[in-house]
Amino acid sequence: MQKSWLVSVSAVIILVQACLANADTRISGYGSFVAGKTVSGQYFLSDFPKTGIYDKDWSFSPDTTIGIQLSHDINQDYSFVMQLNAHGARGYESEINWAYINYQLSSELSVQLGRKRLPLYYYSDFFDVGYAYNWIRPPADNYTWQISNYNGINLLYETQLGDWDTTFNIIIGIVGEFNRDWLNIRLTAMSSELDRTINGIQVAENVVQQFNGLSVNINLDSFSLLSEFNGYKRDDDHIDVHTRMLSLAYTVSDITPFISYSEFEQKLTLAGGDEHHSTRSAGIRWDIYHNTALKIQYDRVKDEGISSAILGDSESLAFGIDVVF
Amino acid sequence: MGMQARVSGHSPPVAVCRTGLYRFILLCLMLLVPAAAWSQQTANVVLITHKSSNVDSLSLLDIRRLYLGFPVANENVNRPVINRVNEKVYEDFLKNIMHMTEDGYKRKIVRRVFRYGADYVTELYSLKAIARHLDAHPNDVVFVAIDDLPRIKDAKIVVRLW
């Protein structure tokens, strides 16, 4: 743990020195400092991939995250981006989430090579940047995919189609995002092969899996409606999962109250898997400064899985402060 | 006759009253129309750069892309700057050019920074600071109310925004 902090602090010092030494280098960062506890039930799983769990005692660990990002323009066409993170749910050990070289082929087309976040879900790319959304964390029922990063190459095409700002990210599938005034639509279609080894035993080899997602977001002056629907299928072992999320928010001055509903439903598998849980949430975001937001959120989880129950029903409360710089 | 006299005796005050009402409505309209127009939009706003800059023109589409952190085809232009001297001009810029609220714009930029390593857009709070900034970064662009233009030394208009 101490070693990890030492590595993080050293990395930050190197980053800052690099920035001070070069005008083409930028440093930015974010932090989410969250305290929470369950008010009924034993446990609340707030982050599936990182296993962030609240219990009856106040804890800062499950949702607290800090990150620092270095961007450097090597020349007019090439740039380099690196992001270092530490999550409370992982004992604050430093991780490199992003480290890639960007080559700008034209004003609309670029290629990235290196380590990036896997852009499966709408909030995948900036999951850790709490300031960028209303909730304390994106709805946990939706964000259950265990792998959040990939090492490889992707092609990014950002253009204008009529009145629509559009982005196509071609990776092991395609992610298309379409923006027009108050409307934002995002589509994901990805296919890959799964190889899995548990305790040295190969349990899956070349198993084809398919992920599809749709997000429709409406942002009017004060009102916003956010939605996300995802489906994941693996025919070989009959895994068929559907997740959905709907959130409404209304901004009055600097204050944004919101409500949300999210659900994870897995169709009964041959092995008897029947994971099914949903969360109703309500909360308030208060933008106290141009780069700082205070948040409070209440979550009520209903765990309906019988053979694949997760952590049971619960109610929980969390307070947080999000900053970006 | 008596009736006529009575009618005619009552007519002038009604006519005066109606004329007064029309005048009052007309006056209200005269006052309201410019007020409504003023409340909807600020005075003329232009996009400027330094007079030594090679940036001669930019389409509204490119301006929007630039302020969203996207690269643009015009290689001469460097970075955009947000003018916070006049909040109404800033709000109207977001509404007329970016087509989004301040909250939506800020979050979009944060996402852009942490998704693609983009830069935050510099915000400046005085005309002096804008003039100094353009001196130091001649190919940057900033939107300003045309009334403020004489106070920014060595500025060149790239395009009139509205």
Side-chain angles (χ1 to χ4, degrees):
Chain A
M1 171 90 175
Q2 271 184 337
K3 240 183 192 174
S4 162
W5 268 107
L6 202 64
V7 170
S8 304
V9 170
S10 309
V12 169
I13 291 168
I14 291 165
L15 295 184
V16 172
Q17 280 179 338
C19 288
L20 293 175
N22 198 319
D24 293 330
T25 306
R26 301 176 293 278
I27 194 160
S28 41
Y30 55 83
S32 294
F33 307 93
V34 182
K37 64 174 283 194
T38 58
V39 290
S40 88
Q42 281 290 318
Y43 300 108
F44 168 52
L45 181 51
S46 70
D47 187 330
F48 278 70
K50 293 192 276 289
T51 333
I53 300 174
Y54 289 104
D55 58 22
K56 289 179 173 177
D57 299 320
W58 284 102
S59 172
F60 278 94
S61 294
D63 285 314
T64 294
T65 296
I66 49 170
I68 197 152
Q69 179 175 282
L70 174 90
S71 320
H72 176 71
D73 296 331
I74 299 164
N75 56 39
Q76 205 174 350
D77 297 326
Y78 288 91
S79 58
F80 171 74
V81 177
M82 194 182 97
Q83 203 181 95
L84 192 74
N85 312 70
H87 305 283
R90 289 196 172 145
Y92 297 101
E93 287 195 16
S94 56
E95 296 170 69
I96 293 176
N97 266 353
W98 303 80
Y100 66 89
I101 282 187
N102 179 70
Y103 175 47
Q104 202 70 41
L105 293 158
S106 73
S107 63
E108 295 180 329
L109 188 65
S110 60
V111 62
Q112 282 104 39
L113 178 72
R115 182 172 177 78
K116 291 187 80 179
R117 293 282 295 208
L118 192 61
L120 280 181
Y121 304 102
Y122 185 84
Y123 295 92
S124 290
D125 284 347
F126 47 97
F127 185 94
D128 296 326
V129 189
Y131 180 86
Y133 41 80
N134 290 330
W135 315 285
I136 292 269
R137 90 284 300 177
D141 299 301
N142 281 48
Y143 289 74
T144 54
W145 195 272
Q146 296 294 321
I147 300 159
S148 26
N149 289 88
Y150 72 94
N151 301 317
I153 189 165
N154 73 292
L155 197 66
L156 192 67
Y157 183 58
E158 301 167 302
T159 190
Q160 191 85 18
L161 295 176
D163 290 337
W164 294 80
D165 295 324
T166 52
T167 303
F168 297 99
N169 190 358
I170 297 155
I171 165 181
I172 47 172
I174 187 162
V175 181
E177 196 167 343
F178 308 87
N179 285 285
R180 181 184 168 160
D181 296 344
W182 47 269
L183 182 62
N184 171 272
I185 299 168
R186 186 182 190 267
L187 296 159
T188 314
M190 287 198 192
S191 183
S192 63
E193 285 188 353
L194 172 77
D195 294 319
R196 181 177 276 176
T197 306
I198 299 174
N199 296 330
I201 301 165
Q202 183 120 28
V203 293
E205 192 177 4
N206 300 334
V207 175
V208 176
Q209 50 187 358
Q210 177 73 36
F211 182 98
N212 297 312
L214 166 70
S215 250
V216 178
N217 299 325
I218 293 171
N219 290 290
L220 299 172
D221 274 356
S222 304
F223 171 79
S224 66
L225 184 150
L226 313 174
S227 68
E228 187 166 2
F229 307 91
N230 300 301
Y232 163 61
K233 212 168 184 177
R234 217 163 64 203
D235 285 335
D236 280 29
D237 43 10
H238 305 278
I239 297 272
D240 191 357
V241 171
H242 291 272
T243 65
R244 34 202 162 254
M245 181 279 285
L246 194 66
S247 184
L248 300 172
Y250 191 84
T251 304
V252 183
S253 184
D254 297 327
I255 297 187
T256 307
F258 61 86
I259 51 169
S260 300
Y261 175 77
S262 62
E263 186 177 10
F264 178 106
E265 188 176 13
Q266 177 183 294
K267 283 186 184 164
L268 188 65
T269 63
L270 292 177
D274 64 345
E275 189 177 337
H276 185 194
H277 39 87
S278 59
T279 309
R280 287 172 170 79
S281 310
I284 296 172
R285 173 195 172 112
W286 179 21
D287 285 278
I288 55 167
Y289 196 57
H290 73 93
N291 64 348
T292 309
L294 286 179
K295 293 175 184 174
I296 176 169
Q297 186 169 324
Y298 162 82
D299 295 284
R300 177 193 272 181
V301 175
K302 197 168 182 189
D303 191 352
E304 295 174 88
I306 296 168
S307 68
S308 301
I310 301 299
L311 290 174
D313 294 352
S314 71
E315 288 175 80
S316 61
L317 203 57
F319 301 88
I321 182 165
D322 290 309
V323 292
V324 287
F325 60 89
Chain B
M1 178 71 187
M3 199 164 169
Q4 272 181 343
R6 218 175 338 164
V7 170
S8 62
H10 282 276
S11 295
V14 170
V16 168
C17 188
R18 275 190 186 152
T19 312
L21 184 68
Y22 294 146
R23 279 185 187 158
F24 177 72
I25 291 169
L26 195 66
L27 186 68
C28 286
L29 284 173
M30 284 168 69
L31 288 171
L32 281 175
V33 169
W38 181 83
S39 72
Q40 279 171 1
Q41 204 136 286
T42 44
N44 297 334
V45 172
V46 290
L47 189 80
I48 61 163
T49 185
H50 193 264
K51 71 173 184 189
S52 67
S53 165
N54 298 322
V55 183
D56 292 319
S57 68
L58 272 175
S59 68
L60 290 183
L61 208 69
D62 275 349
I63 294 167
R64 190 167 184 275
R65 281 179 67 85
L66 203 59
Y67 275 89
L68 284 174
F70 291 99
V72 293
N74 187 332
E75 287 180 356
N76 293 323
V77 67
N78 193 18
R79 286 181 180 151
V81 173
I82 289 175
N83 169 4
R84 299 293 299 264
V85 178
N86 180 336
E87 284 300 296
K88 189 78 180 90
V89 170
Y90 172 52
E91 281 169 24
D92 284 347
F93 177 80
L94 293 180
K95 195 170 84 181
N96 296 341
I97 308 296
M98 306 307 293
H99 310 298
M100 54 183 74
T101 60
E102 184 186 0
D103 196 39
Y105 177 66
K106 274 165 65 182
R107 289 195 206 179
K108 201 144 195 152
I109 291 297
V110 166
R111 289 173 192 180
R112 186 91 197 149
V113 168
F114 293 107
R115 252 181 178 173
Y116 303 114
D119 233 351
Y120 282 112
V121 182
T122 306
E123 297 187 354
L124 296 174
Y125 290 81
S126 75
L127 295 174
K128 261 188 188 171
I130 290 174
R132 271 200 306 267
H133 181 93
L134 291 181
D135 259 345
H137 307 92
N139 286 327
D140 283 7
V141 291
V142 56
F143 55 87
V144 294
I146 208 156
D147 297 343
D148 291 335
L149 208 50
R151 293 168 61 195
I152 303 171
K153 213 179 122 198
D154 298 332
K156 174 174 87 175
I157 295 176
V158 177
V159 64
R160 183 175 165 156
L161 298 174
W162 66 84

